[in-house]
Amino acid sequence: MKVLHLDMDSFFATVEQQARPSLRGRPVGIAPVDSPGGTIVAASIEAKRYGVKTGTKVAEARHRIPEIIILPPTPEKYRVVHRRFRKIMSDYRGELKPRSVDEIALWMEPGGSEPAESARAREIGAEIKRRIRDEVGEWLSSSVGIGPNWLLAKTASNFRKPDGLFEIDRGNVREVLAEISLTDLCGIAERMAARMQLVGIGSPLDLYDLPPWELKRRLGIVGYYWHLRLHGYAIDREDWGTKSLGHSSVLPRPTADPRRLKPLLHKLCHRVARRLRREGWQAGALTISGTVVSGPAREWGQWGATARLAPTDRHHDIFGQAWQLLLREPPAGPLRKIAVKTYALRPADHEQPSLFDLDRRRGALSTGVDRANDRWGEFTVIPAGMLGSENLAGDAIAFGQDLKLQRETAAD
Amino acid sequence: MGTTVLNERVSVLGKFEAGKLLPVLLRWRGRRYWVQKLNLHHERAEGGDRLHFYSVTTDAGECVLRYSRNDFSWTLEEVGFSG
Ligand SMILES: [Mg+2]
């Protein structure tokens, strides 16, 4: 999976230089109000060399660069250029999302080995950069970043600016993270950086290198999420893409009672996990949703809740999160239909930071269970909590958390 | 920066290329200027009109031409001098 993030360099100023060649190579600042107290909203590459940047006051800019040219912004120009580079990017397969007027990300269609995906992303990145110059304007320089998720792609686009083309991959991620500061990571503002520094995390490299459990201890779940992001996991909504895998079921008698929903939820999660393993995916996010029957007119409504997962293909993880969600964000009325859907799918062969050693044992057990189910039919061996849905599943042998197979009669 | 705002009516010889109108030659104050390069084209809706702006380089320097879809008129918005 590769994400390609394109960021136009010094966008407003560069577009003005495109429209007026006599401005090229000169320091230009775009300011809505050309008075000493006015603020520069964009500075050209030439102006940036003298320390003038977004947020610099016009007076300060003039002091640093007496010959700086201050121009008012012309949004129509920026919009037309945006439309045209977006059009170019839409020629490539994948999912396109504009992030701002001068930034567009492309979640490339997965395919082939990691090196093949990487080579293709670099080729396409170079081609897009060239086509923007050829087809939109020769002065329009852009920087392309490539990464396994959006955060790293964006970080890569900032790493070699202007006119950059840079990929962050497993081989160089530590070098890159060693060179940047916490606030260079999109999503870490001053306050979060201060909080991290307080617990001894001074650089992005610390977030990368510290073991996940240690980050969780120091920063809570946020720390763990940062670890996953920097390790290339697709844990953020924008990375989830359109591919999903799920199962749904209609309830014979609508209910809002979690205890009655539990066996069904177990069954759905079991099926989802099984399909993930069969198709070789791990899921990074999950939603549970359903149709709610409510009111005297028994109207139908929709209910849903979403959560992230540490990439997994195990029933234990998927059910655990789904159950938490159901308890935390229960439906407003009796459910008529319930669905479990997983997103952010990535190939399961990717190396996984294991929070607990137990994970691996559970993994081995799951595939053993799959084999038993393959041989004896679905739901021969199911987790204990699924008992109660046996009217849908037939006879069942269940195993509990202690990993011992045991025969049980109908529970609940 | 040598830019002068003019807003003067001018006559322009244009061409249609791939469904787009492009200025080729303009006559201003009795002189002719050839458009050598279109640097940027953008549009803006204004009232009921649609205005097209052509930032071009002519053989005498840069200028911005405005075309009104309402009355098919051309206006020389501003001229700049490279230097
Ligand atoms: Mg930019």
Side-chain angles (χ1 to χ4, degrees):
Chain A
M1 177 70 185
K2 293 286 172 196
V3 184
L4 190 154
H5 182 85
L6 178 120
D7 183 351
M8 300 299 290
D9 300 326
S10 303
F11 187 51
F12 295 177
T14 303
V15 171
E16 299 298 343
Q17 289 174 321
Q18 172 60 40
R20 290 163 63 177
S22 58
L23 297 173
R24 296 179 191 176
R26 293 176 160 201
V28 174
I30 309 297
V33 187
D34 183 2
S35 66
T39 303
I40 306 264
V41 294
S44 71
I45 292 165
E46 300 81 5
K48 280 178 181 159
R49 282 192 203 119
Y50 295 91
V52 172
K53 54 183 193 232
T54 303
T56 305
K57 295 276 181 243
V58 170
E60 161 82 8
R62 283 232 161 81
H63 175 75
R64 282 172 184 263
I65 318 171
E67 72 276 20
I68 192 169
I69 299 147
I70 305 291
L71 297 172
T74 47
E76 303 88 6
K77 282 183 198 152
Y78 315 144
R79 273 199 289 272
V80 76
V81 172
H82 174 91
R83 272 202 299 275
R84 294 184 64 189
F85 72 78
R86 189 173 64 195
K87 177 84 175 40
I88 289 174
M89 287 183 80
S90 71
D91 285 347
Y92 302 90
R93 291 168 74 100
E95 205 182 332
L96 207 63
K97 279 188 218 164
R99 311 294 301 185
S100 69
V101 70
D102 72 323
E103 295 178 33
I104 296 183
L106 172 68
W107 280 258
M108 295 182 48
E109 206 153 272
S113 62
E114 212 279 332
E117 280 193 331
S118 167
R120 194 161 53 97
R122 288 168 195 228
E123 205 173 293
I124 288 173
E127 190 172 297
I128 289 170
K129 278 162 60 78
R130 181 165 39 76
R131 285 186 61 192
I132 290 171
R133 286 193 193 266
D134 288 352
E135 298 169 31
V136 189
E138 70 280 4
W139 192 254
L140 298 173
S141 109
S142 56
S143 295
V144 165
I146 297 161
N149 60 24
W150 179 73
L151 177 92
L152 289 176
K154 160 107 180 158
T155 306
S157 78
N158 282 327
F159 196 64
R160 290 275 183 270
K161 252 182 167 315
D163 202 22
L165 174 62
F166 190 76
E167 176 174 4
I168 294 181
D169 56 26
R170 219 172 298 175
N172 66 11
V173 61
R174 292 190 78 260
E175 282 162 56
V176 173
L177 296 179
E179 268 186 56
I180 63 177
S181 61
L182 287 169
T183 50
D184 288 332
L185 293 172
C186 185
I188 298 188
E190 296 292 344
R191 251 181 60 183
M192 175 56 87
R195 194 184 139 198
M196 287 177 171
Q197 255 135 19
L198 224 57
V199 293
I201 294 157
S203 81
L205 200 54
D206 293 337
L207 286 174
Y208 185 88
D209 282 343
L210 283 169
W213 55 267
E214 181 62 30
L215 284 165
K216 208 168 168 184
R217 194 180 65 80
R218 294 194 203 176
L219 288 168
I221 195 70
V222 177
Y224 179 48
Y225 286 158
W226 274 106
H227 179 89
L228 291 176
R229 276 184 202 106
L230 296 183
H231 280 263
Y233 287 103
I235 62 159
D236 294 307
R237 188 176 283 272
E238 59 252 27
D239 286 317
W240 292 356
T242 45
K243 185 161 172 57
S244 65
L245 195 155
H247 281 286
S248 66
S249 192
V250 173
L251 285 102
R253 284 186 309 277
T255 179
D257 181 358
R259 278 169 311 164
R260 288 186 51 206
L261 290 168
K262 193 175 183 177
L264 196 55
L265 199 61
H266 253 304
K267 192 181 97 162
L268 291 172
C269 292
H270 179 75
R271 282 189 167 160
V272 166
R274 193 171 142 74
R275 244 184 88 195
L276 284 170
R277 287 192 296 271
R278 199 163 51 211
E279 296 181 19
W281 297 105
Q282 289 188 335
L286 146 130
T287 71
I288 52 173
S289 62
T291 314
V292 180
V293 199
S294 66
R298 302 190 63 73
E299 284 164 277
W300 288 14
Q302 291 302 314
W303 158 82
T306 295
R308 287 192 280 239
L309 293 164
T312 184
D313 55 11
R314 320 267 165 76
H315 170 270
H316 174 83
D317 302 330
I318 293 166
F319 173 76
Q321 192 58 265
W323 179 239
Q324 286 304 311
L325 266 182
L326 180 68
L327 296 179
R328 213 166 55 223
E329 297 175 46
L335 281 177
R336 217 195 135 265
K337 192 182 162 192
I338 185 164
V340 172
K341 214 175 201 182
T342 52
Y343 302 86
L345 306 187
R346 59 178 302 141
D349 49 26
H350 193 86
E351 98 188 37
Q352 167 160 6
S354 186
L355 269 184
F356 308 103
D357 211 26
L358 187 66
D359 279 4
R360 241 174 291 136
R361 281 164 58 202
R362 273 206 198 95
L365 183 73
S366 285
T367 30
V369 169
D370 285 349
R371 272 197 298 274
N373 282 337
D374 283 339
R375 185 143 177 218
W376 306 109
E378 278 281 16
F379 305 117
T380 312
V381 181
I382 56 170
M386 266 171 78
L387 291 166
S389 69
E390 80 286 353
N391 55 322
L392 302 156
D395 273 6
I397 309 164
F399 65 85
Q401 295 282 348
D402 61 351
L403 313 180
K404 265 187 289 184
L405 285 172
Q406 50 188 275
R407 187 172 291 273
E408 281 191 22
T409 49
D412 204 1
Chain B
M1 217 14 239
T3 299
T4 314
V5 178
L6 289 170
N7 276 319
E8 274 182 45
R9 282 289 173 99
V10 284
S11 58
V12 170
L13 185 67
K15 66 171 175 182
F16 282 96
E17 206 174 82
K20 276 193 168 173
L21 172 60
L22 302 170
V24 174
L25 178 71
L26 71 128
R27 202 167 67 218
W28 176 53
R29 295 182 185 173
R31 270 197 62 189
R32 286 177 184 178
Y33 302 90
W34 289 96
V35 172
Q36 291 174 328
K37 195 173 172 304
L38 173 66
N39 298 311
L40 194 73
H41 164 235
H42 68 280
E43 300 170 32
R44 187 199 306 155
E46 213 167 87
D49 201 355
R50 183 123 205 119
L51 302 175
H52 288 249
F53 297 85
Y54 298 88
S55 303
V56 300
T57 303
T58 71
D59 43 12
E62 297 164 20
C63 68
V64 179
L65 287 163
R66 185 178 77 212
Y67 175 75
S68 158
R69 280 258 294 265
N70 265 11
D71 58 7
F72 311 110
S73 68
W74 287 91
T75 306
L76 184 57
E77 275 233 320
E78 54 178 65
V79 288
F81 312 96
S82 38

